[in-house]
């Protein structure tokens, strides 16, 4: 079974061809980082227009690299939420028109389910159930993956997502967009010398607004005396500790011994190290997607679409024109 996956939820136009949910035949990504860097973040209107001009060419390249034609496709998987609504609409509209033209089923796919499925592309042996720690610019979730299409939210951020906090701290430290990798690079030169707050709840939720505010206050107070590399190290370490602690507390409580990282922040070197070390200490198994599958990409969407498709969760030909983008979409909907 061959799936053509389409991902346009933010600022990457990506198209992939996947066989049976795990074999990547092509995974093409056209990024807009350099365009949005001058604005310090993604500009939704610009992102949408770039998707519109890029998508046909990216589809063509994905087919060429996979050495297939439209006739070889069995179904189409497309991200329909969550994300920037204008960006999502480009991918959804293209997928609907293509599905109608070649008379193939279309599989609406949740962006976060795609990030979780990125692990299936790296680990052929990975099967549910497991805990997923989803960390990105828009999400910070602990999700119990009961089955390939069955998810339960165990904990989530109550304010900023962890990737959002990284980007805001990067601005305070005078670092360019995208901020997460820049904070990590600066942190490698520093030491953990600033004491920053962690948030504790009576469940497994996260909060990163307090630590972000603490960094801002210290930066304003110290001014030019601020040791930027030490602040980056202190911030990154504290955040990764909170993510790791909450994740393994939830796993112990639910008697789960497998954890998978997912989302753009899953590429963070320190977080991967902490998760692996804690898993080894407890005798658990940790899974971390290849770095090329951490950021937004269509291969992960096609993988998630595969499991939705074989479970029967897809639109029939007559219904596909009703599919619409959903900027705010809970996992499992």
């Amino acid at each position: 079974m061959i799936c053509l996956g389409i991902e346009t939820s933010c600022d990457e136009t990506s198209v992939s061809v996947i066989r049976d949910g795990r074999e990547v035949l092509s995974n093409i990504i056209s990024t807009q980082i350099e365009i949005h860097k001058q604005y310090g973040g993604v500009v939704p209107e610009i992102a949408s227009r770039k998707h519109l001009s890029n998508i046909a060419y990216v589809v063509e390249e994905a087919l060429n690299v996979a050495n297939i034609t439209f006739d070889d496709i069995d179904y189409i998987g497309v991200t329909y939420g969550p994300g920037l609504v204008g960006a999502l609409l480009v991918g959804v509209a293209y997928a609907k028109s293509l599905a109608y033209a070649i008379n193939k089923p279309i599989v609406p796919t949740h962006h976060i389910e795609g990030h979780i499925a990125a692990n299936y592309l790296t680990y052929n042996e990975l099967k549910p159930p497991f805990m997923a720690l989803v960390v990105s610019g828009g999400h910070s979730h602990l999700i119990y993956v009961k089955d390939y299409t069955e998810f339960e939210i165990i904990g989530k951020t109550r304010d900023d997502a962890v990737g959002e906090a990284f980007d805001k701290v990067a601005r305070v430290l005078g670092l360019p967009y995208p901020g997460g990798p820049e904070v990590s690079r600066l942190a490698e030169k520093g030491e953990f010398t600033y004491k920053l707050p962690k948030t504790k709840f009576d469940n497994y939720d996260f909060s990163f607004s307090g630590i972000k505010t603490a960094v801002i206050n210290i930066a304003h107070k110290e001014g030019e005396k601020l040791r930027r590399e030490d602040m980056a190290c202190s911030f990154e370490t504290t955040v990764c500790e909170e993510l790791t602690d909450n994740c393994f507390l939830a796993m112990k409580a639910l008697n789960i011994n497998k954890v998978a990282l997912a989302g753009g922040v899953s590429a963070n070197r320190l977080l991967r190290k902490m998760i692996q070390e804690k898993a080894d200490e407890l005798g658990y198994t940790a899974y971390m997607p290849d770095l090329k599958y951490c950021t937004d990409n269509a291969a992960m969407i096609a993988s998630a679409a595969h499991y939705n498709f074989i479970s029967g969760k897809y639109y029939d030909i007559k219904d596909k024109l009703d599919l619409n983008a959903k900027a705010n979409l809970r996992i499992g909907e």
Side-chain angles (χ1 to χ4, degrees):
M1 300 292 289
I2 291 181
C3 175
L4 180 77
I6 298 173
E7 156 63 26
T8 63
S9 66
C10 191
D11 62 333
E12 274 89 20
T13 311
S14 182
V15 179
S16 182
V17 178
I18 302 291
R19 178 184 285 122
D20 296 332
R22 304 226 180 192
E23 182 183 355
V24 181
L25 303 183
S26 67
N27 186 40
I28 310 303
I29 302 173
S30 176
T31 183
Q32 302 177 21
I33 287 177
E34 291 303 317
I35 296 171
H36 297 283
K37 185 177 288 187
Q38 60 185 307
Y39 304 106
V42 177
V43 181
E45 175 66 17
I46 295 175
S48 303
R49 291 179 180 275
K50 289 302 295 182
H51 285 310
L52 196 59
S53 61
N54 286 343
I55 190 162
Y57 299 104
V58 178
V59 169
E60 182 179 5
E61 186 174 355
L63 294 175
N64 289 338
V65 171
N67 195 28
I68 67 167
T69 68
F70 286 129
D71 292 337
D72 299 309
I73 296 170
D74 294 294
Y75 54 98
I76 300 164
V78 61
T79 304
Y80 76 114
L84 302 175
V85 67
L88 288 166
L89 278 169
V90 175
V92 169
Y94 186 94
K96 288 196 298 183
S97 60
L98 178 60
Y100 186 83
I102 66 176
N103 199 34
K104 302 290 184 179
I106 187 171
V107 186
T109 304
H110 194 289
H111 181 71
I112 298 305
E113 292 179 22
H115 273 302
I116 294 170
N119 286 278
Y120 302 141
L121 302 174
T122 304
Y123 302 96
N124 194 54
E125 74 278 10
L126 176 60
K127 298 177 181 177
F130 58 85
M131 182 71 78
L133 175 58
V134 181
V135 280
S136 69
H139 300 83
S140 296
H141 282 67
L142 275 173
I143 297 173
Y144 179 27
V145 183
K146 298 180 179 180
D147 205 344
Y148 288 108
T149 62
E150 189 176 354
F151 307 88
E152 179 184 351
I153 297 175
I154 304 300
K156 62 184 184 300
T157 182
R158 296 192 179 186
D159 39 60
D160 292 355
V162 63
E164 180 185 359
F166 265 97
D167 284 340
K168 289 179 178 176
V169 167
R171 291 192 196 107
V172 173
L173 297 179
L175 300 173
Y177 171 86
E182 297 293 335
V183 171
S184 294
R185 277 190 280 271
L186 184 61
E188 291 179 1
K189 303 174 184 177
E191 296 181 1
F192 189 178
T193 58
Y194 287 99
K195 185 172 179 58
L196 299 171
K198 289 183 185 177
T199 306
K200 286 281 188 181
F201 298 109
D202 56 4
N203 57 13
Y204 306 110
D205 283 355
F206 304 103
S207 172
F208 301 108
S209 178
I211 187 172
K212 174 200 68 181
T213 302
V215 171
I216 293 171
N217 289 340
I218 293 172
H220 286 169
K221 181 180 178 181
E222 294 198 0
E224 294 182 359
K225 295 180 181 179
L226 179 71
R227 303 183 304 280
R228 294 166 64 252
E229 63 277 8
D230 290 347
M231 177 57 80
C233 179
S234 301
F235 169 77
E236 182 182 47
T237 302
T238 304
V239 164
C240 289
E241 285 177 348
E242 182 171 338
L243 289 168
T244 302
D245 291 347
N246 263 25
C247 178
F248 284 95
L249 281 173
M251 291 175 68
K252 286 180 181 179
L254 296 173
N255 196 27
I256 301 170
N257 61 11
K258 294 190 295 185
V259 58
L261 282 179
V265 183
S266 66
N268 181 276
R269 172 198 55 81
L270 182 61
L271 180 60
R272 292 168 82 98
K273 180 174 181 286
M274 285 188 178
I275 292 291
Q276 187 64 65
E277 288 178 348
K278 191 65 175 180
D280 291 343
E281 176 189 326
L282 297 172
Y284 292 175
T285 305
Y287 299 91
M288 302 172 199
D290 285 345
L291 294 180
K292 62 185 175 183
Y293 299 131
C294 290
T295 54
D296 292 350
N297 66 90
M300 68 184 196
I301 298 303
S303 179
H306 169 77
Y307 293 103
N308 284 334
F309 182 74
I310 62 176
S311 71
K313 294 183 177 181
Y314 67 94
Y315 277 37
D316 292 328
I317 297 298
K318 64 180 182 299
D319 296 324
K320 68 167 53 68
L321 295 182
D322 294 333
L323 178 61
N324 201 358
K326 295 186 178 181
N328 299 304
L329 183 68
R330 285 176 57 88
I331 192 164
E333 286 187 32

